[in-house]
């Protein structure tokens, strides 16, 4: 059984602040926000990460971007803009092995890429 933290939130085994929800995805506030708005868009069907995206599940993954756009609209981020981030694997800094899009906004977000 897959029991990462997002599966537990989806199964209501642990609580989270839900911003928006549809049949196939959930948008929750990040527990450690890195910006005034920091929401995670999470597919309800478990996908381990970008490394598990295939032609077969690409359509449902694509809908997560539409979901992010809806959440951004609901939270009033569309005029000033926002940023989406997906971390993949160890070097990408992925901590939770369940695909999720970080939606960040509410202030100027600084450099797009942190350089050494
Ligand atoms: P990753 O590094 O995998 O891309 O991001 C995982 C994110 O999940 C982190 O930003 C972290 O703060 C968030 N997170 C971890 N545990 C929980 C939790 O129990 N609840 C919520 N809402 N967010 C969590």
């Amino acid at each position: 059984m897959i029991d990462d933290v997002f599966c537990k939130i989806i199964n209501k085994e642990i609580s989270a602040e839900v911003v928006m929800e549809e049949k196939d995805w959930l948008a929750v506030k990040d527990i450690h926000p890195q910006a005034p708005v920091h929401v995670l868009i999470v597919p309800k069907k478990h996908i381990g990460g970008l490394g598990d995206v295939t032609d077969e599940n690409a359509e449902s993954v694509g809908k997560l971007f539409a979901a992010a756009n809806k959440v951004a609209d609901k939270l009033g981020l569309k005029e000033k803009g926002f940023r989406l981030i997906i971390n993949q694997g160890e070097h990408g800094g992925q901590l939770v092995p369940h695909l999720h899009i970080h939606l960040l906004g509410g202030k100027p977000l600084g450099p797009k890429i942190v350089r050494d």
Side-chain angles (χ1 to χ4, degrees), residues 5-6 9 14-17 28-34 38 40 85-88 92-98 100 102:
V5 72
F6 296 152
I9 288 172
I14 61 174
S15 63
E17 219 174 318
V28 298
K29 289 190 181 178
D30 195 291
I31 205 168
H32 295 125
Q34 303 300 312
H38 187 172
L40 304 168
I85 295 173
I86 301 177
N87 298 316
Q88 167 59 37
Q94 182 181 8
L95 297 175
V96 179
H98 184 132
H100 52 285
H102 295 256

Side-chain angles (χ1 to χ4, degrees), residues 9 12 22 24-26 28 33-34 36 48 63 73 75-76 93 108-109 111 113-114:
I9 288 172
K12 304 200 185 311
E22 288 196 2
D24 297 324
W25 56 266
L26 196 60
V28 298
Q34 303 300 312
K63 287 185 178 168
D73 199 17
L75 299 180
L109 292 166
I113 294 173
V114 177

Side-chain angles (χ1 to χ4, degrees), residues 2 6 9-10 18 25 28 31 36 40 45 50 52 59-60 63 70 74 76 88 93 103 106:
I2 299 160
F6 296 152
I9 288 172
I10 290 157
V18 176
W25 56 266
V28 298
I31 205 168
L40 304 168
K45 187 169 177 207
L50 267 185
D52 293 320
E59 193 175 329
S60 55
K63 287 185 178 168
K70 286 185 201 178
K74 178 173 180 178
Q88 167 59 37
L103 166 62

Side-chain angles (χ1 to χ4, degrees), residues 4 20 23 36 49-50 53 55 90 98 102 115:
D4 63 80
M20 219 174 153
K23 183 170 68 68
L50 267 185
V53 176
D55 287 343
E90 184 185 348
H98 184 132
H102 295 256
R115 301 184 195 283

